[in-house]
């Protein structure tokens, strides 16, 4: 009798081969189906609530994927590519997930028929390279235009991004705002120079852009009411020190032999703070901001001298003021701006610095009904800001609305015919998968996708090439020239999406076995059990492995 060879620990779960690959593909397709309906201007939103009762409504692929809390190991890859798309280019997160899922869906019949996945991977990679070359070739540069013209074009890009969002109804309003904000920070790489502040209540249209910094009034002490709330051309002092009467006994130990000496210690404490305050006033500053607390003594002191002060200002806000007013926050910085004002915005008091000389910041104050609404609006604006920044940097755009996808698809189909061998089929499938974008745009808008796609195919097949920029017309359910309609996307969004989706699909195709180590699972189980105070959670049987 042959001895049994034990290679892996008892309880190890391995699944392998075709079955495993197919199960991974199914999982990925299922994830694709979740985000599918959010694509495009007519896409639906998802409401996700967790067991803690927090509710998020979103249309953003990356946000949805993050919140879904996917446990399937292969499907998790999609979460990662959505995230990376979000951080690399900021938009196209739904597109990337959808493409990856579709590539795999197209690969499935081949896998079932016993095609080796390496063959598929090789063809997919070739197709992806060809596709990206084509995108680059078709991209149109917006370089060399006047600033005004450029702004208009950028606003179109921003509007395209925003049209799929909850705030799509006001896309022109917000697009201009976003472009102004991005133009304000110039080519500075720090995205956080654009602040977004949310004030619930009011109307979307009440949102406004400050060409400088705005933040919510910080906690303040008595005496604050007497401080002036508006200045023209004030000097601004930014501090990183505490202006509070401190019991120095916390910092030092002092031994006294004579009780009368005690008074001198108290005096010293007062002198320290008065010394600091005097220096602030001497600097000529009219607005004093500090990252640390400004106590009641200081508040009153400043009030008596017609100086405005705010303590415990968030570091980001302080940095923005520094960038706007010129200078950097050290222990103290003196800057200036045209107007400083404390204003009522909805239910909140806001400190607003505008007309700053360095002018390298902007703050968007968002208004709108529910919390979830403003939060989604913020995410949407983030997408738009990223897009405009990308377009400023790379300054090439491609027609959206599925036009570019159809064009690449056509190109790949044509190319595949020149190939002999199985690879022809695979590249053809890749080309077919790209059509998912226009098809989904139609489906989500309630159009007849087959009809629209046929029209698009016919248009793109035209020899003259004049149909190359035709995409789905979201308003009529027909087709239209996306370029002429200013449905534009930065080329880099598409390039990145194709790249990432292909890589993810190839990665999943290259996995033919997953091994679950029982040890790592029981360690996880222990942690979970420990957190719930149930003690050890070991001794899991085989039946528990699949979740
Ligand atoms: P993603 O997260 O991938 O950016 P979106 O929901 O923002 O997904 O949808 C983007 C898609 O919608 C792009 O393919 C874009 O070309 C398309 N799109 C945006 N605006 C329009 C429009 N006005 N008409 C047709 N298609 C549009
Ligand atoms: Mg988008």
């Amino acid at each position: 009798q042959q001895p049994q060879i034990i290679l892996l620990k008892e309880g190890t779960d391995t699944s392998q081969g075709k079955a495993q690959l197919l199960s991974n593909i199914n999982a990925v397709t299922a994830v694709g189906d979740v985000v599918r309906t959010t694509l495009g201007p007519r896409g639906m939103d998802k409401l996700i609530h967790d067991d803690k009762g927090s509710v998020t409504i979103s249309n953003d692929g990356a946000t949805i994927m993050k919140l879904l809390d996917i446990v399937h190991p292969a499907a998790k890859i999609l979460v990662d590519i959505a995230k990376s798309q979000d951080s690399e280019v900021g938009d196209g997160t739904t597109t990337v997930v959808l493409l990856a899922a579709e590539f795999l869906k197209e690969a499935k019949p081949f896998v079932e028929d016993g095609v080796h996945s390496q063959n598929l991977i090789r063809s997919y990679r070739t197709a992806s390279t060809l596709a990206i070359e084509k995108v680059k070739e078709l991209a149109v540069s917006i370089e060399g235009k006047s600033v005004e013209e450029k702004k208009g074009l950028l606003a179109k890009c921003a509007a395209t991004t925003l049209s799929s969002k909850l705030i799509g109804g006001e896309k022109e309003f917000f697009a201009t705002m976003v472009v102004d904000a991005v133009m304000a920070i110039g080519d500075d790489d720090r995205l956080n120079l654009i602040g977004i502040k949310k004030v619930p209540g009011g109307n979307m249209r009440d949102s406004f852009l400050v060409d400088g910094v705005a933040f919510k009034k910080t906690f303040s002490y008595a005496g604050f009411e007497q401080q002036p709330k508006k200045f023209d051309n004030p000097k601004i002092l930014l501090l990183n020190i505490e202006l509070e009467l401190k019991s120095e006994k916390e910092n030092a130990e002092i031994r006294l032999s004579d009780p009368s000496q005690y008074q001198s210690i108290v005096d010293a404490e007062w002198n320290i703070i008065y010394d600091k305050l005097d220096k602030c006033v001497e600097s000529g500053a009219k607005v004093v901001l500090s990252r640390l607390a400004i106590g009641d003594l200081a508040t009153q002191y400043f009030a008596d001298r017609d100086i405005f002060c705010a303590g415990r200002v968030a570091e980001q806000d302080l940095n923005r003021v520094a960038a706007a007013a010129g200078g950097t926050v050290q222990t103290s910085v003196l800057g200036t701006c045209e107007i400083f004002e404390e204003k009522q915005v909805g239910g909140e008091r806001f400190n607003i610095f505008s007309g700053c000389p360095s002018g390298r910041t902007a703050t968007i104050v968002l208004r709108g009904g529910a919390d979830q609404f403003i939060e989604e609006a913020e995410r949407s604006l983030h997408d738009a800001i990223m897009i405009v920044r990308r377009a400023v940097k790379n300054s090439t755009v491609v027609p959206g609305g599925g036009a570019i996808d159809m064009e690449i698809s056509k190109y790949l189909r044509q190319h595949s015919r020149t190939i002999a061998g199985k690879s022809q089929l695979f590249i053809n499938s890749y080309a077919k998968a790209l059509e998912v974008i226009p098809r989904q745009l139609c489906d989500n808008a309630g159009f007849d996708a087959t009809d629209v796609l046929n029209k698009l195919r016919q248009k793109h097949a035209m020899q003259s090439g004049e149909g190359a920029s035709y995409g789905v017309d979201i308003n009529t359910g027909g087709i239209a020239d996306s370029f002429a309609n200013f449905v534009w996307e930065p080329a880099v969004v598409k390039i990145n999406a194709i790249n990432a989706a292909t890589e993810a699909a190839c990665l999943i195709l290259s996995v033919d076995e997953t091994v679950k180590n029982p040890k790592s699972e029981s360690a996880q189980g222990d942690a979970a059990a420990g957190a719930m105070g149930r003690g050890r959670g070991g001794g899991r049987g085989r039946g528990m492995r699949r979740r």
Side-chain angles (χ1 to χ4, degrees):
Q1 195 192 343
Q2 286 239 322
Q4 204 188 350
I5 300 169
I6 298 175
L7 188 63
L8 297 171
K9 210 178 279 175
E10 160 74 0
T12 306
D13 172 32
T14 70
S15 354
Q16 51 182 301
K18 205 157 97 176
Q20 173 61 28
L21 186 46
L22 288 174
S23 118
N24 284 348
I25 293 179
N26 287 340
V28 170
T29 316
V31 175
D33 285 343
V34 175
V35 293
R36 195 171 277 279
T37 54
T38 68
L39 185 82
R42 298 282 185 274
M44 309 293 273
D45 297 340
K46 302 279 168 194
L47 186 152
I48 302 163
H49 59 122
D50 61 14
D51 48 4
K52 291 187 212 77
S54 74
V55 174
T56 310
I57 297 179
S58 184
N59 181 283
D60 181 49
T63 309
I64 297 171
M65 297 292 283
K66 221 173 337 183
L67 291 176
L68 279 182
D69 205 3
I70 290 169
V71 292
H72 193 282
K76 266 188 178 161
I77 294 172
L78 291 195
V79 182
D80 291 340
I81 56 168
K83 273 192 206 155
S84 79
Q85 175 86 9
D86 194 36
S87 56
E88 283 285 319
V89 283
D91 194 24
T93 47
T94 314
T95 307
V96 75
V97 174
L98 211 53
L99 279 179
E102 199 67 18
F103 289 151
L104 287 171
K105 204 168 165 185
E106 288 295 329
K108 193 173 161 190
F110 294 121
V111 176
E112 277 168 341
D113 286 349
V115 171
H116 197 286
S117 44
Q118 286 303 342
N119 290 337
L120 276 165
I121 292 175
R122 205 172 322 118
S123 302
Y124 272 18
R125 290 233 163 92
T126 318
S128 144
T129 319
L130 289 169
I132 288 169
E133 273 167 18
K134 194 72 190 165
V135 175
K136 286 187 180 152
E137 194 185 310
L138 291 171
V140 175
S141 175
I142 55 169
E143 205 62 74
K145 303 256 193 315
S146 73
V147 174
E148 275 312 306
E149 213 174 340
K150 212 168 177 181
K151 266 191 174 179
L153 299 178
L154 291 173
K156 302 280 193 248
C157 284
T160 304
T161 303
L162 289 177
S163 64
S164 60
K165 310 291 182 192
L166 213 52
I167 55 175
E170 299 286 357
K171 62 181 178 198
E172 275 88 19
F173 175 70
F174 284 108
T176 336
M177 195 181 272
V178 164
V179 172
D180 287 341
V182 174
M183 288 307 205
I185 65 166
D187 43 29
D188 199 312
D189 264 336
R190 288 172 297 168
L191 186 61
N192 59 15
L193 288 179
I194 302 180
I196 299 184
K197 300 286 160 183
K198 295 167 283 188
V199 188
N203 189 306
M204 273 193 282
R205 280 257 173 195
D206 296 337
S207 308
F208 58 92
L209 179 77
V210 179
D211 60 336
V213 187
F215 54 85
K216 210 154 91 183
K217 174 180 155 309
T218 55
F219 177 79
S220 54
Y221 289 92
F224 180 77
E225 300 74 34
Q226 297 144 29
Q227 294 179 347
K229 299 291 185 299
K230 183 166 185 203
F231 292 102
D232 289 335
N233 290 313
K235 277 195 179 161
I236 306 167
L237 187 60
L238 306 176
L239 298 173
N240 205 359
I241 54 174
E242 215 163 335
L243 292 176
E244 209 163 14
L245 187 59
K246 271 263 186 102
S247 299
E248 296 295 338
K249 66 172 187 261
E250 283 164 15
N251 295 334
E253 186 182 310
I254 304 163
R255 284 171 198 258
L256 302 175
S257 49
D258 181 359
S260 64
Q261 287 172 346
Y262 187 69
Q263 188 58 41
S264 66
I265 308 287
V266 175
D267 287 346
E269 284 173 358
W270 284 82
N271 286 340
I272 291 174
I273 177 131
Y274 274 122
D275 187 42
K276 286 183 190 167
L277 291 177
D278 284 338
K279 289 219 169 89
C280 293
V281 175
E282 272 166 33
S283 73
K286 282 291 167 198
V287 177
V288 180
L289 305 177
S290 179
R291 203 172 66 77
L292 300 171
I294 295 184
D296 45 359
L297 176 82
T299 307
Q300 190 61 53
Y301 186 90
F302 287 137
D304 293 343
R305 285 159 187 78
D306 281 343
I307 293 174
F308 176 89
C309 74
R312 291 194 202 287
V313 178
E315 192 165 358
Q316 287 226 327
D317 289 328
L318 209 62
N319 286 340
R320 276 201 280 269
V321 177
T328 44
V329 184
Q330 294 160 347
T331 41
S332 74
V333 166
L334 213 51
T336 179
C337 71
E338 234 160 64
I339 300 171
F340 165 78
E341 209 174 354
E342 187 178 298
K343 260 213 281 214
Q344 189 80 21
V345 178
E348 315 269 10
R349 300 290 296 174
F350 258 77
N351 296 340
I352 297 177
F353 303 79
S354 49
C356 302
S358 305
R360 295 209 329 276
T361 57
T363 308
I364 296 172
V365 180
L366 265 183
R367 304 294 318 275
D371 280 347
Q372 288 90 351
F373 176 84
I374 309 197
E375 260 154 44
E376 172 68 357
E378 182 186 6
R379 281 190 290 270
S380 312
L381 285 186
H382 171 258
D383 278 13
I385 289 172
M386 291 292 280
I387 282 308
V388 175
R389 282 166 55 85
R390 286 296 147 193
V392 169
K393 274 225 167 88
N394 297 293
S395 64
T396 53
V397 292
V398 292
I404 185 78
D405 312 86
M406 284 308 284
E407 188 63 18
I408 312 169
S409 176
K410 179 204 80 173
Y411 170 67
L412 287 178
R413 273 179 215 267
Q414 274 176 356
H415 177 85
S416 74
R417 286 195 209 111
T418 64
I419 304 171
K422 277 183 287 193
S423 176
Q424 185 189 62
L425 295 174
F426 308 152
I427 291 191
N428 221 356
S429 300
Y430 187 98
K432 181 156 171 242
L434 286 169
E435 286 182 353
V436 70
I437 303 292
R439 187 172 332 118
Q440 200 59 46
L441 287 173
C442 290
D443 280 348
N444 290 352
F447 303 149
D448 181 348
T450 318
D451 183 41
V452 175
L453 248 69
N454 283 337
K455 282 188 193 151
L456 279 178
R457 283 198 202 103
Q458 185 259 341
K459 205 76 189 169
H460 283 264
M462 275 166 45
Q463 282 296 324
S464 59
E466 66 187 74
S469 53
Y470 271 72
V472 180
D473 184 347
I474 221 70
N475 300 316
T476 64
I479 61 174
D481 189 334
S482 293
F483 225 92
N485 287 340
F486 296 110
V487 180
W488 294 2
E489 286 176 278
V492 57
V493 171
K494 266 279 124 73
I495 293 175
N496 211 64
I498 291 176
N499 223 340
T502 311
E503 277 315 312
C506 291
L507 191 60
I508 288 168
L509 282 175
S510 70
V511 173
D512 76 334
E513 176 161 354
T514 52
V515 180
K516 192 164 217 169
N517 184 340
K519 182 133 175 249
S520 61
E521 174 162 357
S522 88
Q524 261 180 17
D526 276 356
M532 285 182 264
R534 281 198 277 105
R536 274 188 55 81
R540 287 174 178 236
R542 287 180 73 86
M544 293 290 289
R545 280 174 291 102
R546 286 183 192 278
R547 274 181 285 180

